[in-house]
Amino acid sequence: MQTRPHRIINRRKTKKIRVGKVFVGGDSPISVQSMTNTITSDESSTIKQVNELKEAGADLVRISCPDQNSTKALNNIIKKTDIPIIADIHFHYKRGIEAAKSGAHCLRINPGNIGSNDRVKEVVKAAKDYDCAIRIGVNAGSLEKKILEKYKEPCPEALVESANYNIKLLEDNDFFNFKISVKSSDVFLAVKAYELLSKSCDYPLHLGITEAGGLIPGSIKSSIGIGSLLMRGIGDTIRVSLSADPVEEIKAAYEILGSLGIRSRGVQIISCPSCARQAFPVIETVKILENKLSHIKKPLTLSIIGCVVNGPGEASQTDVGLTGGGEGSNLLYLSGIPHEKVASKSLIDKVVKLVEAKAKELKN
């Protein structure tokens, strides 16, 4: 089987920090994260969702801590889950201190609403005392008042000035275990801000297009923004922010990473758009296979092509391939080599068995 060629991405060299048992930056894999949407004080629902996100492939999970009940619940949630937890802190700096005491592995603080420098310093002290990382989360929608007054509106330079100011604040307090984001719902603004920031510091960057929208539009906006930065070697951890089930954020993140040849998880299906040449119902077949193969976590490729125009070429480059040839003449490929002909009614069962066997082989 031939290997699909990938452009080599020269990743920007950054500092390596630790978030619980996960390292971010340096030579660490680009990590994937999402955020729970349950009420944090509802411990059972939050624990359930954290575990679902981990099963989907999340490396890190962020949990909102808007009140004292949430930071109290955080301690038990962390004890009953096995993935680094990031506490999302806004407005009330004391929630950050409480979250650190409760065992949070990272605190996400928003410079635009956390309060005075003295309050930030108190949060930093708690992070140091309890071995907790920090994310400086700059957002175009909530910049510090003085910076917004200076630039009149959110712009890349304003986001980067906020980030650099807070970098210095943490450094002056002898704290270096942090990462940074400069997010916006505007793709161009966010991309330019990350580009500028990557030139002015070497701390790991958390990528995201904030408030990107629903599943399809949000995934597209995020793919353009996050993908374009990753192609330039910028980015150490990512979140795809969607108005959808948080599990969908993890799936979309791996699609972005997988499409760039950076990091893959599960079965990557290469399939053709349906047309009059199809020898079997491609769209329906792909939908069924996506569901039946969702349990496989080992990265491998599967091509589902409805005719012989591009089918053999695609199948020669995937772990398992299927080319439509008509009833009884559809051809299955294994590791790029013709394997057997199969009738249309048996396609799905045959493909599933081959993919599962290949996944087991790769695992061993």
Side-chain angles (χ1 to χ4, degrees), residues 67-79:
D67 50 44
Q68 205 165 7
N69 287 336
S70 298
T71 54
K72 285 181 179 178
L74 198 64
N75 183 266
N76 202 36
I77 292 167
I78 290 169
K79 287 179 180 177

Side-chain angles (χ1 to χ4, degrees), residues 146-295:
K146 62 180 180 180
I147 290 179
L148 200 54
E149 288 175 349
K150 175 181 177 180
Y151 289 96
K152 309 305 180 186
E153 63 179 2
C155 63
E157 292 77 11
L159 269 66
V160 172
E161 182 169 323
S162 174
N164 283 326
Y165 176 83
N166 285 277
I167 287 171
K168 188 175 186 304
L169 187 59
L170 267 61
E171 289 177 336
D172 287 347
N173 283 274
D174 197 32
F175 190 86
F176 306 95
N177 192 41
F178 64 89
K179 51 196 170 86
I180 317 156
S181 63
V182 280
K183 292 187 179 183
S184 171
S185 59
D186 183 303
V187 174
F188 291 97
L189 195 163
V191 169
K192 185 62 177 178
Y194 277 111
E195 288 178 338
L196 291 175
L197 184 59
S198 70
K199 295 174 182 177
S200 66
C201 79
D202 61 354
Y203 287 99
L205 299 184
H206 167 114
L207 301 187
I209 304 299
T210 194
E211 296 142 4
L215 180 58
I216 293 178
S219 295
I220 292 171
K221 284 179 69 175
S222 297
S223 297
I224 294 169
I226 295 173
S228 64
L229 289 164
L230 290 173
M231 288 179 71
R232 295 177 176 92
I234 298 170
D236 302 281
T237 182
I238 67 173
R239 181 200 174 186
V240 177
S241 300
L242 303 175
S243 301
D245 186 328
V247 168
E248 298 296 336
E249 296 187 349
I250 302 300
K251 292 179 181 177
Y254 275 104
E255 287 296 331
I256 294 171
L257 293 173
S259 68
L260 295 174
I262 294 173
R263 184 180 176 192
S264 297
R265 176 183 169 87
V267 181
Q268 180 186 5
I269 299 180
I270 295 124
S271 59
C272 61
S274 182
C275 73
R277 297 194 304 269
Q278 64 178 345
F280 58 88
V282 173
I283 294 174
E284 181 182 348
T285 299
V286 170
K287 285 181 179 178
I288 294 171
L289 287 172
E290 283 178 336
N291 182 56
K292 285 184 174 290
L293 299 174
S294 62
H295 64 288

Side-chain angles (χ1 to χ4, degrees), residues 351-362:
V351 169
V352 170
K353 286 180 181 178
L354 278 179
V355 172
E356 288 179 337
K358 188 65 177 178
K360 186 177 180 179
E361 175 191 324
L362 291 172

Side-chain angles (χ1 to χ4, degrees), residues 2 19 30 74 80 106 140 166 207 211 225-226 231 258 270 289 301 305 322 327 335 342 350:
Q2 297 179 9
V19 181
I30 293 174
L74 198 64
K80 294 186 177 181
C106 181
N166 285 277
L207 301 187
E211 296 142 4
I226 295 173
M231 288 179 71
I270 295 124
L289 287 172
T301 52
I305 309 297
L322 171 64
E327 187 57 47
S335 299
V342 61
K350 288 280 189 178

Side-chain angles (χ1 to χ4, degrees), residues 82-98:
D82 184 30
I83 187 171
I85 298 297
I86 301 165
D88 192 60
I89 308 299
H90 291 277
F91 301 110
H92 303 291
Y93 75 103
K94 288 185 178 180
R95 301 294 86 82
I97 297 170
E98 293 162 1

